[in-house]
Amino acid sequence: MGEFAVFGNLRRRLVGTLPLDDQTEMAQGRNRHSRIFLLASLSAFFWFLLLYFHFVMLASSSAVTHLNPFTRNTESMKTRMRNPSPIPINSHVASDSPKFDVHREKEISANGKSNDESPNIVTSSNVKRLPVNKKDRAHSEMEKYPFMRALRTVENKSDPCGGKYIYVYDLPPRFNEDMLKECRSLSLWTNMCKYTTNAGLGPPLENAEGVFSNTGWYATNQFAVDVIFSNRMKQYECLTNDSSLAAAIFVPFYAGFDIARYLWGHNVSTRDASSLALVDWLMKRPEWGIMGGKDHFLVAGRITWDFRRLTDEEYDWGNKLLFLPAAKNMSMLVVESSPWNANDYGIPYPTYFHPAKDADVFIWQERMRKLDRKWLFCFAGAPRPDNPKSIRGQIIDQCKNSKVCKLLECDFGESKCHSPSSIMQMFQSSLFCLQPQGDSYTRRSAFDSILAGCIPVFFHPGSAYAQYTWHLPRNYSQYSIFIPEDDIRKRNISIEQRLGEISPGKVKEMRETVINLIPRLIYADPRSKLETLKDAFDVAVHAVIDKVTKLRRDIIKGGKDDNFIEELSWKYALLDEGQEVGPHEWDPFFSKPKDNKADSNSSSAEAAKNSWKNEQRQ
């Protein structure tokens, strides 16, 4: 105690001996400490109020806020999903992005617990203690659908790929690339090796006669869509390696090339082997379980009848890919679809023109507008004497007897019909191009004629109107003329007279519509991409995405079309919004025999066989 008194006296003497300025400074120091203490107290009180407001006043709203699976790592996801370098079809990259786990959500909901200790995750245990409004309850119920993460991307307006992502399977090479290595086996009569070059476009065409433009023209095989479409997919701007984001899933199986190897001289087991193996592979994938394959699609560059064998009899035609239960859930894009089945969709045959940039298309369109067309109508084809229902014989006779018709007869052996320049030159010099049924409903020639700015004349609605509903206007009178087959077969209507009655103004208007359709009906060079125009690939992918998106929304709403009649499939794509299926003027064209095997053993299978016979003849 004495020591503290001595220390206090010493301190007072020292202060008394300090200069006045130093004494003032010490007094100011005491005041400064007081101010700091006051500020610290006010700050602590402010933070107390802020935290109180956050945890107490906002508790009811924050407690029902779920972690949005799409917002996590959004920027890094966008960077990876829209990588400007193409993702190779057979170079799948595993994604490290978080995926929506519906099983985990259910477990959390049931137990009220979560193994994740992250303080950012609000579990359903919080919701039990607080009221939940109807909107939040509906949102929670929607979480049970595994495709919700993909569906939410549609609403993300800041993401240009929102609702457009495509996931591409990394299939074993035996389903695609190995077929190209064995290209000589893809056809009995045609060396397909040269046609699979240049990403499936085939060798460049010579332009000695000046019929084509300078670039973008190839000797493309009409059945090469398998490889063209798959290579075109590599340039798609919204590929994703995270399947939970995908609006649709692409299966790069070369179905057309596969069946082409085995249609002649092979038993049904060999013809079906790849299709069965593919389905088995797909059904083991987790992506398949999301919608049972209803969000999957693949492309086959042949007519649908090559994939619709109804029986296992050796004499029956084709394989049974499209009749496999799993395949019925998928969408198959073919160059000719079935009017009576719902799991295939028609896409254009490839033409000879595959532009690499928009300017190539614009230049070609302008050139087609300015051409002098000296023929009223034309026809390129051969008669079908073995088919009593064919009207080709009458068409050829009418053309021969007309001074305003140009004819290219496609006989056996060498023929100008097999020369792209001869065919395109004739189409470019004609106002109308006759397009009767080929061996089946459709023919590549229809697309070649439109490419030439020639107005197509159809005689059966199955040749275009009920086929290419994604790519052609529903109002067919805008771009084509329809003359029912019976008008030629039974009534002997004059084609020259019928076409001659159309006014020059109407012809000009229709030709402009035809020329404007060109971008939607051609496949751009798979090694590049058009800048602003949408080609046949873009139109098809967009249609598939729309189909899957609508199906997902219908599932959430609990909608189910119990009244769907598959045998009337051709009618549904022609309906207006809200319109129901009923009698149609084209019913007589699509009425089927009562024989249950009509697709396989009668006209459809015979059409496919005849198509192959004509390949042999050529």
PDB file of all heavy atoms in Angstrom, residues 304-305 308 322-323 328 337-344 564 566-570 592 599:
ATOM      1  N   THR A 304     -39.130 -45.190 -92.884  1.00  0.00           N
ATOM      2  CA  THR A 304     -39.538 -45.861 -91.654  1.00  0.00           C
ATOM      3  C   THR A 304     -39.810 -47.345 -91.829  1.00  0.00           C
ATOM      4  O   THR A 304     -39.654 -48.132 -90.896  1.00  0.00           O
ATOM      5  CB  THR A 304     -40.797 -45.171 -91.073  1.00  0.00           C
ATOM      6  OG1 THR A 304     -41.091 -45.704 -89.787  1.00  0.00           O
ATOM      7  CG2 THR A 304     -41.999 -45.360 -91.985  1.00  0.00           C
ATOM      8  N   TRP A 305     -40.188 -47.766 -93.050  1.00  0.00           N
ATOM      9  CA  TRP A 305     -40.573 -49.158 -93.277  1.00  0.00           C
ATOM     10  C   TRP A 305     -39.385 -50.112 -93.157  1.00  0.00           C
ATOM     11  O   TRP A 305     -39.587 -51.328 -93.005  1.00  0.00           O
ATOM     12  CB  TRP A 305     -41.250 -49.290 -94.640  1.00  0.00           C
ATOM     13  CG  TRP A 305     -42.217 -48.180 -94.870  1.00  0.00           C
ATOM     14  CD1 TRP A 305     -42.122 -47.189 -95.807  1.00  0.00           C
ATOM     15  CD2 TRP A 305     -43.400 -47.902 -94.111  1.00  0.00           C
ATOM     16  NE1 TRP A 305     -43.169 -46.315 -95.683  1.00  0.00           N
ATOM     17  CE2 TRP A 305     -43.975 -46.725 -94.651  1.00  0.00           C
ATOM     18  CE3 TRP A 305     -44.024 -48.518 -93.031  1.00  0.00           C
ATOM     19  CZ2 TRP A 305     -45.143 -46.170 -94.150  1.00  0.00           C
ATOM     20  CZ3 TRP A 305     -45.182 -47.956 -92.526  1.00  0.00           C
ATOM     21  CH2 TRP A 305     -45.741 -46.799 -93.079  1.00  0.00           C
ATOM     22  N   ARG A 308     -39.670 -51.439 -89.383  1.00  0.00           N
ATOM     23  CA  ARG A 308     -40.986 -51.816 -88.844  1.00  0.00           C
ATOM     24  C   ARG A 308     -41.374 -53.237 -89.247  1.00  0.00           C
ATOM     25  O   ARG A 308     -42.426 -53.464 -89.828  1.00  0.00           O
ATOM     26  CB  ARG A 308     -42.049 -50.811 -89.312  1.00  0.00           C
ATOM     27  CG  ARG A 308     -41.866 -49.432 -88.695  1.00  0.00           C
ATOM     28  CD  ARG A 308     -43.081 -48.533 -88.908  1.00  0.00           C
ATOM     29  NE  ARG A 308     -42.914 -47.262 -88.219  1.00  0.00           N
ATOM     30  CZ  ARG A 308     -43.149 -47.069 -86.928  1.00  0.00           C
ATOM     31  NH1 ARG A 308     -43.572 -48.089 -86.177  1.00  0.00           N
ATOM     32  NH2 ARG A 308     -42.982 -45.892 -86.371  1.00  0.00           N
ATOM     33  N   LEU A 322     -38.291 -49.962 -84.507  1.00  0.00           N
ATOM     34  CA  LEU A 322     -39.365 -49.049 -84.116  1.00  0.00           C
ATOM     35  C   LEU A 322     -40.549 -49.743 -83.457  1.00  0.00           C
ATOM     36  O   LEU A 322     -41.482 -49.076 -83.007  1.00  0.00           O
ATOM     37  CB  LEU A 322     -39.832 -48.247 -85.327  1.00  0.00           C
ATOM     38  CG  LEU A 322     -38.868 -47.127 -85.754  1.00  0.00           C
ATOM     39  CD1 LEU A 322     -39.336 -46.444 -87.018  1.00  0.00           C
ATOM     40  CD2 LEU A 322     -38.710 -46.107 -84.636  1.00  0.00           C
ATOM     41  N   PHE A 323     -40.514 -51.052 -83.388  1.00  0.00           N
ATOM     42  CA  PHE A 323     -41.555 -51.769 -82.658  1.00  0.00           C
ATOM     43  C   PHE A 323     -41.067 -52.272 -81.298  1.00  0.00           C
ATOM     44  O   PHE A 323     -41.843 -52.865 -80.544  1.00  0.00           O
ATOM     45  CB  PHE A 323     -42.075 -52.952 -83.482  1.00  0.00           C
ATOM     46  CG  PHE A 323     -43.021 -52.546 -84.576  1.00  0.00           C
ATOM     47  CD1 PHE A 323     -42.838 -52.998 -85.871  1.00  0.00           C
ATOM     48  CD2 PHE A 323     -44.089 -51.710 -84.319  1.00  0.00           C
ATOM     49  CE1 PHE A 323     -43.713 -52.628 -86.886  1.00  0.00           C
ATOM     50  CE2 PHE A 323     -44.969 -51.324 -85.327  1.00  0.00           C
ATOM     51  CZ  PHE A 323     -44.786 -51.784 -86.612  1.00  0.00           C
ATOM     52  N   LYS A 328     -40.254 -47.286 -78.705  1.00  0.00           N
ATOM     53  CA  LYS A 328     -41.512 -46.572 -78.899  1.00  0.00           C
ATOM     54  C   LYS A 328     -41.572 -45.293 -78.068  1.00  0.00           C
ATOM     55  O   LYS A 328     -42.334 -44.385 -78.378  1.00  0.00           O
ATOM     56  CB  LYS A 328     -42.690 -47.482 -78.548  1.00  0.00           C
ATOM     57  CG  LYS A 328     -42.995 -48.530 -79.609  1.00  0.00           C
ATOM     58  CD  LYS A 328     -44.266 -49.295 -79.268  1.00  0.00           C
ATOM     59  CE  LYS A 328     -44.634 -50.262 -80.371  1.00  0.00           C
ATOM     60  NZ  LYS A 328     -45.906 -50.976 -80.084  1.00  0.00           N
ATOM     61  N   SER A 337     -41.777 -40.908 -92.646  1.00  0.00           N
ATOM     62  CA  SER A 337     -42.383 -41.450 -91.433  1.00  0.00           C
ATOM     63  C   SER A 337     -43.652 -42.226 -91.765  1.00  0.00           C
ATOM     64  O   SER A 337     -44.158 -42.197 -92.887  1.00  0.00           O
ATOM     65  CB  SER A 337     -42.703 -40.315 -90.453  1.00  0.00           C
ATOM     66  OG  SER A 337     -43.661 -39.425 -91.028  1.00  0.00           O
ATOM     67  N   SER A 338     -44.173 -42.907 -90.757  1.00  0.00           N
ATOM     68  CA  SER A 338     -45.410 -43.669 -90.907  1.00  0.00           C
ATOM     69  C   SER A 338     -46.608 -42.801 -90.528  1.00  0.00           C
ATOM     70  O   SER A 338     -46.601 -42.170 -89.465  1.00  0.00           O
ATOM     71  CB  SER A 338     -45.377 -44.913 -90.017  1.00  0.00           C
ATOM     72  OG  SER A 338     -46.669 -45.483 -89.900  1.00  0.00           O
ATOM     73  N   PRO A 339     -47.639 -42.762 -91.351  1.00  0.00           N
ATOM     74  CA  PRO A 339     -48.834 -41.995 -90.978  1.00  0.00           C
ATOM     75  C   PRO A 339     -49.576 -42.598 -89.796  1.00  0.00           C
ATOM     76  O   PRO A 339     -50.378 -41.922 -89.168  1.00  0.00           O
ATOM     77  CB  PRO A 339     -49.707 -42.059 -92.244  1.00  0.00           C
ATOM     78  CG  PRO A 339     -48.837 -42.573 -93.329  1.00  0.00           C
ATOM     79  CD  PRO A 339     -47.776 -43.398 -92.670  1.00  0.00           C
ATOM     80  N   TRP A 340     -49.319 -43.881 -89.501  1.00  0.00           N
ATOM     81  CA  TRP A 340     -50.112 -44.621 -88.520  1.00  0.00           C
ATOM     82  C   TRP A 340     -49.365 -44.901 -87.227  1.00  0.00           C
ATOM     83  O   TRP A 340     -49.853 -45.641 -86.374  1.00  0.00           O
ATOM     84  CB  TRP A 340     -50.558 -45.947 -89.150  1.00  0.00           C
ATOM     85  CG  TRP A 340     -51.181 -45.762 -90.485  1.00  0.00           C
ATOM     86  CD1 TRP A 340     -52.324 -45.052 -90.777  1.00  0.00           C
ATOM     87  CD2 TRP A 340     -50.698 -46.256 -91.732  1.00  0.00           C
ATOM     88  NE1 TRP A 340     -52.573 -45.094 -92.125  1.00  0.00           N
ATOM     89  CE2 TRP A 340     -51.592 -45.824 -92.748  1.00  0.00           C
ATOM     90  CE3 TRP A 340     -49.601 -47.031 -92.105  1.00  0.00           C
ATOM     91  CZ2 TRP A 340     -51.427 -46.131 -94.090  1.00  0.00           C
ATOM     92  CZ3 TRP A 340     -49.427 -47.342 -93.451  1.00  0.00           C
ATOM     93  CH2 TRP A 340     -50.329 -46.891 -94.424  1.00  0.00           C
ATOM     94  N   ASN A 341     -48.178 -44.328 -87.058  1.00  0.00           N
ATOM     95  CA  ASN A 341     -47.392 -44.557 -85.831  1.00  0.00           C
ATOM     96  C   ASN A 341     -46.896 -43.235 -85.279  1.00  0.00           C
ATOM     97  O   ASN A 341     -46.627 -42.294 -86.038  1.00  0.00           O
ATOM     98  CB  ASN A 341     -46.220 -45.496 -86.115  1.00  0.00           C
ATOM     99  CG  ASN A 341     -46.675 -46.872 -86.567  1.00  0.00           C
ATOM    100  OD1 ASN A 341     -46.727 -47.162 -87.761  1.00  0.00           O
ATOM    101  ND2 ASN A 341     -47.034 -47.735 -85.629  1.00  0.00           N
ATOM    102  N   ALA A 342     -46.736 -43.191 -83.946  1.00  0.00           N
ATOM    103  CA  ALA A 342     -46.470 -41.917 -83.283  1.00  0.00           C
ATOM    104  C   ALA A 342     -45.017 -41.698 -82.889  1.00  0.00           C
ATOM    105  O   ALA A 342     -44.680 -40.627 -82.380  1.00  0.00           O
ATOM    106  CB  ALA A 342     -47.344 -41.802 -82.026  1.00  0.00           C
ATOM    107  N   ASN A 343     -44.137 -42.662 -83.116  1.00  0.00           N
ATOM    108  CA  ASN A 343     -42.769 -42.505 -82.611  1.00  0.00           C
ATOM    109  C   ASN A 343     -41.751 -42.176 -83.696  1.00  0.00           C
ATOM    110  O   ASN A 343     -40.550 -42.307 -83.480  1.00  0.00           O
ATOM    111  CB  ASN A 343     -42.332 -43.758 -81.842  1.00  0.00           C
ATOM    112  CG  ASN A 343     -42.382 -45.023 -82.680  1.00  0.00           C
ATOM    113  OD1 ASN A 343     -43.202 -45.144 -83.589  1.00  0.00           O
ATOM    114  ND2 ASN A 343     -41.517 -45.978 -82.369  1.00  0.00           N
ATOM    115  N   ASP A 344     -42.201 -41.763 -84.884  1.00  0.00           N
ATOM    116  CA  ASP A 344     -41.256 -41.300 -85.899  1.00  0.00           C
ATOM    117  C   ASP A 344     -41.734 -39.991 -86.507  1.00  0.00           C
ATOM    118  O   ASP A 344     -42.928 -39.676 -86.503  1.00  0.00           O
ATOM    119  CB  ASP A 344     -41.014 -42.372 -86.974  1.00  0.00           C
ATOM    120  CG  ASP A 344     -42.294 -42.781 -87.691  1.00  0.00           C
ATOM    121  OD1 ASP A 344     -43.375 -42.271 -87.338  1.00  0.00           O
ATOM    122  OD2 ASP A 344     -42.222 -43.614 -88.613  1.00  0.00           O
ATOM    123  N   PHE A 564     -55.932 -40.476 -77.295  1.00  0.00           N
ATOM    124  CA  PHE A 564     -55.014 -40.524 -78.425  1.00  0.00           C
ATOM    125  C   PHE A 564     -55.179 -41.836 -79.194  1.00  0.00           C
ATOM    126  O   PHE A 564     -55.192 -42.925 -78.611  1.00  0.00           O
ATOM    127  CB  PHE A 564     -53.569 -40.384 -77.942  1.00  0.00           C
ATOM    128  CG  PHE A 564     -52.557 -40.456 -79.052  1.00  0.00           C
ATOM    129  CD1 PHE A 564     -52.326 -39.361 -79.864  1.00  0.00           C
ATOM    130  CD2 PHE A 564     -51.836 -41.621 -79.284  1.00  0.00           C
ATOM    131  CE1 PHE A 564     -51.390 -39.427 -80.888  1.00  0.00           C
ATOM    132  CE2 PHE A 564     -50.910 -41.695 -80.301  1.00  0.00           C
ATOM    133  CZ  PHE A 564     -50.685 -40.589 -81.110  1.00  0.00           C
ATOM    134  N   GLU A 566     -53.367 -43.880 -82.027  1.00  0.00           N
ATOM    135  CA  GLU A 566     -52.098 -43.912 -82.753  1.00  0.00           C
ATOM    136  C   GLU A 566     -52.290 -44.133 -84.245  1.00  0.00           C
ATOM    137  O   GLU A 566     -51.555 -43.581 -85.061  1.00  0.00           O
ATOM    138  CB  GLU A 566     -51.173 -44.983 -82.188  1.00  0.00           C
ATOM    139  CG  GLU A 566     -49.785 -44.945 -82.825  1.00  0.00           C
ATOM    140  CD  GLU A 566     -48.784 -45.832 -82.126  1.00  0.00           C
ATOM    141  OE1 GLU A 566     -49.210 -46.790 -81.452  1.00  0.00           O
ATOM    142  OE2 GLU A 566     -47.581 -45.569 -82.259  1.00  0.00           O
ATOM    143  N   GLU A 567     -53.284 -44.881 -84.638  1.00  0.00           N
ATOM    144  CA  GLU A 567     -53.503 -45.156 -86.050  1.00  0.00           C
ATOM    145  C   GLU A 567     -53.838 -43.894 -86.838  1.00  0.00           C
ATOM    146  O   GLU A 567     -53.709 -43.844 -88.054  1.00  0.00           O
ATOM    147  CB  GLU A 567     -54.620 -46.197 -86.212  1.00  0.00           C
ATOM    148  CG  GLU A 567     -54.738 -46.739 -87.635  1.00  0.00           C
ATOM    149  CD  GLU A 567     -55.695 -47.908 -87.735  1.00  0.00           C
ATOM    150  OE1 GLU A 567     -55.687 -48.746 -86.812  1.00  0.00           O
ATOM    151  OE2 GLU A 567     -56.435 -47.979 -88.721  1.00  0.00           O
ATOM    152  N   LEU A 568     -54.247 -42.842 -86.121  1.00  0.00           N
ATOM    153  CA  LEU A 568     -54.557 -41.557 -86.761  1.00  0.00           C
ATOM    154  C   LEU A 568     -53.449 -40.539 -86.512  1.00  0.00           C
ATOM    155  O   LEU A 568     -53.693 -39.330 -86.544  1.00  0.00           O
ATOM    156  CB  LEU A 568     -55.889 -41.017 -86.240  1.00  0.00           C
ATOM    157  CG  LEU A 568     -57.114 -41.919 -86.433  1.00  0.00           C
ATOM    158  CD1 LEU A 568     -58.355 -41.262 -85.851  1.00  0.00           C
ATOM    159  CD2 LEU A 568     -57.333 -42.239 -87.905  1.00  0.00           C
ATOM    160  N   SER A 569     -52.224 -41.008 -86.285  1.00  0.00           N
ATOM    161  CA  SER A 569     -51.108 -40.124 -85.930  1.00  0.00           C
ATOM    162  C   SER A 569     -50.926 -38.988 -86.929  1.00  0.00           C
ATOM    163  O   SER A 569     -50.572 -37.871 -86.550  1.00  0.00           O
ATOM    164  CB  SER A 569     -49.812 -40.934 -85.824  1.00  0.00           C
ATOM    165  OG  SER A 569     -49.859 -41.812 -84.732  1.00  0.00           O
ATOM    166  N   TRP A 570     -51.141 -39.265 -88.214  1.00  0.00           N
ATOM    167  CA  TRP A 570     -50.903 -38.243 -89.242  1.00  0.00           C
ATOM    168  C   TRP A 570     -51.787 -37.012 -89.057  1.00  0.00           C
ATOM    169  O   TRP A 570     -51.443 -35.913 -89.477  1.00  0.00           O
ATOM    170  CB  TRP A 570     -51.138 -38.837 -90.636  1.00  0.00           C
ATOM    171  CG  TRP A 570     -52.546 -39.288 -90.909  1.00  0.00           C
ATOM    172  CD1 TRP A 570     -53.088 -40.510 -90.638  1.00  0.00           C
ATOM    173  CD2 TRP A 570     -53.586 -38.515 -91.510  1.00  0.00           C
ATOM    174  NE1 TRP A 570     -54.409 -40.554 -91.034  1.00  0.00           N
ATOM    175  CE2 TRP A 570     -54.740 -39.348 -91.582  1.00  0.00           C
ATOM    176  CE3 TRP A 570     -53.667 -37.219 -91.996  1.00  0.00           C
ATOM    177  CZ2 TRP A 570     -55.949 -38.913 -92.112  1.00  0.00           C
ATOM    178  CZ3 TRP A 570     -54.878 -36.777 -92.538  1.00  0.00           C
ATOM    179  CH2 TRP A 570     -56.003 -37.618 -92.595  1.00  0.00           C
ATOM    180  N   LYS A 592     -56.311 -47.839 -94.024  1.00  0.00           N
ATOM    181  CA  LYS A 592     -55.475 -49.050 -94.030  1.00  0.00           C
ATOM    182  C   LYS A 592     -56.322 -50.293 -94.248  1.00  0.00           C
ATOM    183  O   LYS A 592     -57.472 -50.351 -93.810  1.00  0.00           O
ATOM    184  CB  LYS A 592     -54.730 -49.188 -92.695  1.00  0.00           C
ATOM    185  CG  LYS A 592     -53.637 -48.181 -92.491  1.00  0.00           C
ATOM    186  CD  LYS A 592     -52.966 -48.367 -91.141  1.00  0.00           C
ATOM    187  CE  LYS A 592     -52.391 -49.757 -90.993  1.00  0.00           C
ATOM    188  NZ  LYS A 592     -51.708 -49.929 -89.692  1.00  0.00           N
ATOM    189  N   ASP A 599     -48.729 -53.144 -92.570  1.00  0.00           N
ATOM    190  CA  ASP A 599     -47.478 -52.387 -92.647  1.00  0.00           C
ATOM    191  C   ASP A 599     -46.338 -53.241 -93.178  1.00  0.00           C
ATOM    192  O   ASP A 599     -45.484 -52.768 -93.900  1.00  0.00           O
ATOM    193  CB  ASP A 599     -47.083 -51.876 -91.249  1.00  0.00           C
ATOM    194  CG  ASP A 599     -47.911 -50.661 -90.870  1.00  0.00           C
ATOM    195  OD1 ASP A 599     -48.629 -50.169 -91.733  1.00  0.00           O
ATOM    196  OD2 ASP A 599     -47.818 -50.250 -89.705  1.00  0.00           O
TER     197      ASP A 599
END
